[in-house]
Amino acid sequence: YTSHLRIEQHPHEEVPAKKLRLTKPSKSAALHVDLCKASSPTDALQYLLQFARKPVEADSVEGVVRILLEHYYKETDSSVRLKIASLLGLLSKTQGFTPDCIVDDVINTLNSERSHQVLAQLLDTLLVIGTQVPESLNMRHRLIDVACKHLTDTYFGVRNKCLQLFGCLGSVDKPLPRESEGGGTGMAAKDVQSIISDYFGDQDPRVRTAAIKAMLQLHERGMKLQQIIYNQACKLLSDDYEQVRSAAVQMVWVLSQLYPESIVPIPSSNEKIRLVDDSFGKICHMVSDGSWVVRVQAAKLLGSMQQVSPHFLEQTLDKKLMSDLRRKRTAHERAKELYSSGEFSSGRKWADDAPKEKVDTTAVNLIDSGACGAFVHGLEDEMYEVRIAAVEALCALAQSSPSFAEKCLDFLVDMFNDEIEEVRLQSIHVLRQISTHITLREDQLDTVLAVLEDSSRDIREALHELLCYTNVSTKECIQLALLELLKNLTKYPTDRNSVWKCLKFLGSRHPTLVLPIVPELLSTHPYFDTPEPDMDDPAYIAVLVLVFNAAKSCPTMTALFSDHTFRHYAYLRDSLSHLVPPLRLPGRKLTSAPEASGLASSVESAQNFLKESLTRVCSVQQLDAPGAQSLLEFTIRDLQRLGELQTELAGTADFCATYLHCQLLLMKALQDKLWSVAVPLYLKQNAMVSGAAAQVLEETYKLEFLYSGLESRQIASIHHVRLQAKALQLVLLARTRRGVEPLLSACEKFLHEVDAFQRLFVTELPHFQDSFVDKLLDIMPRLAGSKPADLVKILQTTLRHSCFPQLKLPEQIRRATAAIIEPTGESDNPLRFTSGLVVALDVDATLEHVQDPQTTVKVQVLYPDGQSHVIQPKPADFRKPGPGRHRLITQVYLSHSAWTEPCQIDVKLLLAYSSSTSRSLGPRSAWNESTEGPTPLESTIEGTIPLSKPVKVFIMPKPARR
Amino acid sequence: MPEIKVTPLGAGQDVGRSCILVSIGGKNIMLDCGMHMGYNDDRRFPDFSYITQNGRLTEFLDCVIISHFHLDHCGALPYMSEMVGYDGPIYMTHPTKAICPILLEDFRKITVDKKGETNFFTSQMIKDCMKKVVPLNLHQTVQVDDELEIKAYYAGHVLGAAMVQIKVGSESVVYTGDYNMTPDRHLGAAWIDKCRPDILISESTYATTIRDSKRCRERDFLKKVHETVERGGKVLIPVFALGRAQELCILLETFWERMNLKAPIYFSTGLTEKANHYYKLFITWTNQKIRKTFVQRNMFEFKHIKAFDRSYADNPGPMVVFATPGMLHAGQSLQIFKKWAGNEKNMVIMPGYCVQGTVGHKLLSGQKNMLDCFLFILCPTPIAPPAGLSMPGISFSKYSLEVKLQVEYMSFSAHADAKGIMQLIRMAEPRNVMLVHGEAKKMEFLKDKIEQEFTGISCFMPANGETTTIPTNPSVPVDISLNLLKREAAFGGPLPDPKKPRTMHGTLIMKDSSLRLVSPEQALKELDLNEHQLRFTCRVQLQDPYSDTDTLSRVYNHLKSVLKGYTVQHLPDGTVMVESIVLKVSSSAEDPNTKVVLLSWSYQVTPGCTIQGSQLPH
């Protein structure tokens, strides 16, 4: 698609360039004068530096280039020539300028240039030009020839640039033509790859790096690299210079992805292995490289080598331990054995890690060719960058291999104890991601749970999240987890919600494990009545959440409940309905019966209902007005109720209801017979209508920005409604205001918007048949020429006689919501602080389905005196605990002058939007590109939508004491 | 043949009193100067009489290098420099220089004040010795003299531990001292560049061990401490003042911080406080985490760890105490141990190795009833148990104490294991390896492994006093004049190709100690010599009746017809020139018919075929 665009541009751009030569732009003239004036090279350099600071318009580039070249030939000082060469490169990047015309000149200067530095710079310029004009095959060949010629230069910079040229411009499809105009040397006959690979052995490490990079560039551009360079690349892995090794690691990786299955021999033996295994071993080796940059790179790449054989993969976690030549078992192995032998908790016995059998000295391989212990080393590395990379690689590999996941578990759990929080957090996340493959053993769970006491909130919450997804093996594990979570709850009461949620999942995942411990958990006794626990105790609620969720899929459990448990169930089901599932309780058949009839079908029926309502609404235009209005009203009411009942459809239903509400408002405003009478006496009526129009406008912004999952068709519908509302406003304006001036500009603006609508939604127009905008577009040419008064008249009639388009629904619409968890707004203790100073208020909120919250979500603080502050939280304050969800934990600074009484302020979240961003957010890119050109007249509208309910906070600024 | 000689005076197939002599390029260097912990007699110090029987060492040694502050690497230093006599420079890193005198002083106090030995170095001697020290920075190349240079690399192990590269010309030796290839909580891993030394002298304490991941051990340690503290028990960790103690402190400190624990941690005062002070100072020598965060907070400024007072041991409630010494054989750690031993809630964690005969060793071997030995240490003369000992929980019967508290062993060692040693060899790519500082049997194994897995590297493990000689092949640098190089480069291809050696013409001038390659003309000019032309002449007799000139012209004509493709000239002065060969004809004095043809050519020309067999036609 882009190439299509480019070709279009060419003829278009050529015209002004030609014009220019005649007029000679002032800018280049000024430069010319400056350069002529320059008496010494330093002066000239100064002029050039100044010149480089200002942008040059596309029209005058060519003129400037001519002047620069002219000066170039005269100049004797190489630094000035260097600057000119770099300027040429800079200029050819100017948008809208096609640099083919200066290629010849640059190549000519190249031939006569003596200074190596300038040569390198000129080649760089050529590189820029070459990348600007990627389609011209002819030019590419020429540039490649030039590069061939200079490849043998003695200066490393020139060779570097030549190799870069090869990498960026070397033809991907076929070997270079034998005979081309400029070069004709023997080199041209060879293909690009072999030319580049000749420089793998260059004496300068920078050139070696450049050669590998050029090769990688070719690969990126789609050329298939040949397998023969594999051996060379492997040799480069032991280069003396880190940048070479770093590039070589990449190269080996690329080759391993290209030829995973081909067979390579192992040196010094007759065996052969798959190439991917061989390279895996080699990259593993690089994890213990001397340079940490290489180590990071190697560790990262390991993660993406998923075709490697499991045998090799498992070696990475294996480090044969020995002590005094005796085989020793790792702590992990010992823990596992202890566990399987039934004896838990170790370390009591002195020397239980004593080495066992003797090791055959010949069999021990201290540096192995293979992957032995690569991850063990990586996870123990000094630099945390390496450790993080290793953890991530483990994750990637474990996700594709369950058996490996099982094996790496111990190592990941060990990482929970890292000294850097970032690493700990990352390893918890990773464990969560692979948790589908694994079941934690008791001793492992024990280590995992130890982290619950961490003082960092992020760590704890990540761990809760992990526990939500974990499978455990025994009922002791459940008990252990519950115990630790309760401990956590007492130590950090703010974790309440997170802990409850965690227990909810734990319960629903392991009903059979929970069942045997229910009497213990609820502390019931077969003979004695036990005291009724305190219903407000968070720990007790936590236990109940676990039990109730387990009971959901384990009907026999309810028989173990005592009376008060049922009461508590009823209470919790109401107060914490998101944590407590509906249960089938013995004496309450009635309430549970409809629920049991099948949730799936109810969703379906709700969907059907929604569709039916929408089709019903469609017929609205045919009905007479009052009937239509009441139908709309009913439908809106139904939809709103539906949204409350069916959480899956809440977003969709809400969206429809709001949309229909807009229609209703419009209809009401238009149906009114009175306002169309052209008299300014009906002020009250006017006020009603203008209010409706304003409300519709506001609603359309909500529709557009608050809901995610919209397709361009729905957005078009929204814009259509907005257009109608604007038309209405325009008509109103015409009726209420005297004077043509304001009306004229308003009309112009409106027409522009119609035009913009047409451009934006070209593909959607067929769906808008017979609608308001369709009719307008039909008579558009006439409109553009007509007077404001006529226009208003036309608008008025079109508005009244157009039907509104049917709303087609996409798969799923989600409404952005937010809830402030903290502050709760229940506190009676005012937050006291000295006036004029600031106080920090902790805000904790969850956001659902908000796209890009870092830029859009803001916190608003409204003081009782009407002052309001909007605060933009730091991007780092947003965490992403799950898909579609965000968590905002931030501090808001409050300040005010002194009050006499404590008073409440409102804190709420806002969603900021601007109409210019809406396009780039849109799902389709087609109309995104077509509007690339500047549309300066289009005004961007910015505003905010309230996102959450306001929370009241009691504050009390005291006067400062003297 | 130039060679490097290495002789261990200590640490050859042995652990302790590291002292290695190196002769390289005519320079003598002493690496480390340690003492042996196991001996109390003369064997405690290296045998310096190996160097010279009488007199001072100064004239035999060019410099002394100390790798780190452990006594088995620096303990004999004042003895050597002050008592035997050495005035040359002693090199060590800044932290070593700071901490070393403290340890030496401590060592001196114990031997002189406690054991009552005489003929030992004094405090003043330690001070005098330290005055001779020249501090080193990491990666700084220090010129000892014009030819000898040394460079320090990071070694991990303890604060300020360094590996040193010693270089004379192109010959070099790397000495590792003690090093650690896995980072720990306060120090990073050893690192060296690909310096390709002629010989790498490496420690090999753990030559036959491959260690488990550090994290397991750390986690175990923390878990045990945490559990005991949660139970309300007290934890005693006997440590030595420097090194591991700091690592464990950092470990506990961060854990306390992370887990929000409140139980107090104490650190016995004295030496340790001073040492912690130096740890705070030398942040650049620690690991990544401490280095990066010290601006916000210096990790060695402990929040939770406070100084210990004797009375705290009786405080109720949980606590953790670090106390010296590490083997529970005397001092504060033993006192605390005896107070806490009776309670099964308490725990003692032995973080290191314990020598036989100490309480620590008995504990580790599982002895539950500490008999007199224990009290014997407390009070050399057997008396009734002191009043302070009769506390609840400890039952004394016949001077014995029942040990009820839990005993744990946790090894935190900071030496490279077999894999680590191999990794270092791979990093440095030496031509030879020498193993020191380890047991002979274990070295044997590693030696085999090294020779087997690195082709072309030979490995040595000399005993004390045994000299190893390694022939070297030093490259001799020669300066070449740019003009000559350019001229020669112009002949064949622009790039020097390392795979294809080329011959070139030039003159090698050896003047003073510099070697230069210049063009012959320049050499003549510089040496003020005249150019001599070397010509070969040869006489050939011909029987020819004609006159001289005729013969000449006949020769000329003949040559002209035979030697096609050569320039043959008849010059007016009566000579014929074939290329650069000159021919002259003269008749012999006796016989006018016998003509003598004189041939003359310069040395570059190999005329061979020109005249050979050219019979003049008659």
Side-chain angles (χ1 to χ4, degrees), chain A residues 507-573:
Chain A
S508 55
R509 260 172 185 272
H510 308 96
T512 48
L513 296 181
V514 174
L515 183 61
I517 53 171
V518 165
E520 200 180 328
L521 290 179
L522 298 177
S523 56
T524 51
H525 195 278
Y527 311 127
F528 304 116
D529 265 351
T530 44
E532 184 175 331
D534 179 14
M535 199 48 245
D536 290 332
D537 182 11
Y540 179 60
I541 295 177
V543 174
L544 285 185
V545 167
L546 174 77
V547 173
F548 289 150
N549 278 288
K552 191 181 163 195
S553 46
C554 184
T556 53
M557 204 182 282
T558 45
L560 298 168
F561 294 175
S562 53
D563 287 346
H564 57 77
T565 317
F566 290 112
R567 266 187 285 122
H568 293 165
Y569 165 73
Y571 171 65
L572 287 180
R573 175 77 191 118

Side-chain angles (χ1 to χ4, degrees), chain A residues 152 238-240 245 285 288 290 319-325 330-332 347-348 350 361-362 364-368 372 377 379-385 387 414-420 424 446-447 450-451 453-455 487 491-492, chain B residues 182-183 185 188-189 191 194 196 208-216 218-219 222-224 226 230 257-261 287-289 291-292 364-365 406-409 417-419 422-423 426-427 442 445-446 449 452-454 494-495:
Chain A
T152 49
S238 53
D239 198 275
D240 281 10
R245 291 200 301 268
H285 212 62
S288 51
K319 190 180 167 190
K320 297 253 176 328
L321 299 190
M322 59 176 191
S323 167
D324 284 354
L325 289 181
T330 62
H332 293 152
R348 284 298 142 74
W350 149 238
T361 47
T362 52
V364 182
N365 207 9
L366 286 182
I367 30 163
D368 353 57
C372 255
H377 285 295
L379 293 176
E380 269 192 347
D381 199 276
E382 182 186 356
M383 311 301 278
Y384 85 95
E385 292 90 341
R387 297 200 296 268
D414 276 351
M415 294 308 285
F416 285 14
N417 203 15
D418 195 273
E419 53 192 343
I420 305 243
R424 295 200 292 268
D446 196 41
T447 349
V451 186
E453 285 192 52
D454 203 296
S455 59
K487 233 175 169 178
K491 202 163 175 182
Y492 306 100
Chain B
T182 40
R185 286 290 171 144
W191 181 86
K194 261 194 185 123
R196 302 198 171 92
T208 53
T209 302
I210 299 176
R211 245 180 290 128
D212 196 359
S213 131
K214 200 145 196 147
R215 285 174 202 290
C216 288
E218 281 177 2
R219 203 189 56 210
L222 292 173
K223 199 172 146 196
K224 279 168 188 167
H226 189 194
E230 259 194 348
E257 185 103 12
R258 259 180 65 198
M259 297 304 185
N260 239 337
L261 299 179
N287 71 3
Q288 186 195 22
K289 154 103 181 174
R291 273 198 323 254
K292 291 218 164 140
L364 288 181
S365 51
Q406 298 168 48
V407 181
E408 303 285 354
Y409 174 81
D417 62 357
K419 275 210 163 183
M422 296 304 248
Q423 201 184 337
R426 199 157 68 87
M427 263 172 146
K442 296 180 180 179
F445 163 78
L446 192 63
K449 283 291 146 202
Q452 178 188 327
E453 287 179 27
F454 295 99
L495 284 177

Side-chain angles (χ1 to χ4, degrees), chain A residues 121-166:
Chain A
Q121 187 59 54
L122 281 171
L123 284 167
D124 188 57
T125 305
L126 282 181
L127 183 64
V128 171
I129 295 172
T131 42
Q132 291 288 311
V133 197
E135 325 71 35
S136 159
L137 256 181
N138 193 18
M139 163 129 72
R140 270 199 347 221
H141 288 319
R142 285 190 58 194
L143 293 182
I144 289 295
D145 281 335
V146 170
C148 273
K149 234 195 281 174
H150 289 90
L151 252 183
T152 49
D153 197 280
T154 48
Y155 181 61
F156 79 92
V158 178
R159 273 179 281 156
N160 260 1
K161 287 289 169 213
C162 289
L163 287 168
Q164 256 184 36
L165 265 173
F166 273 119

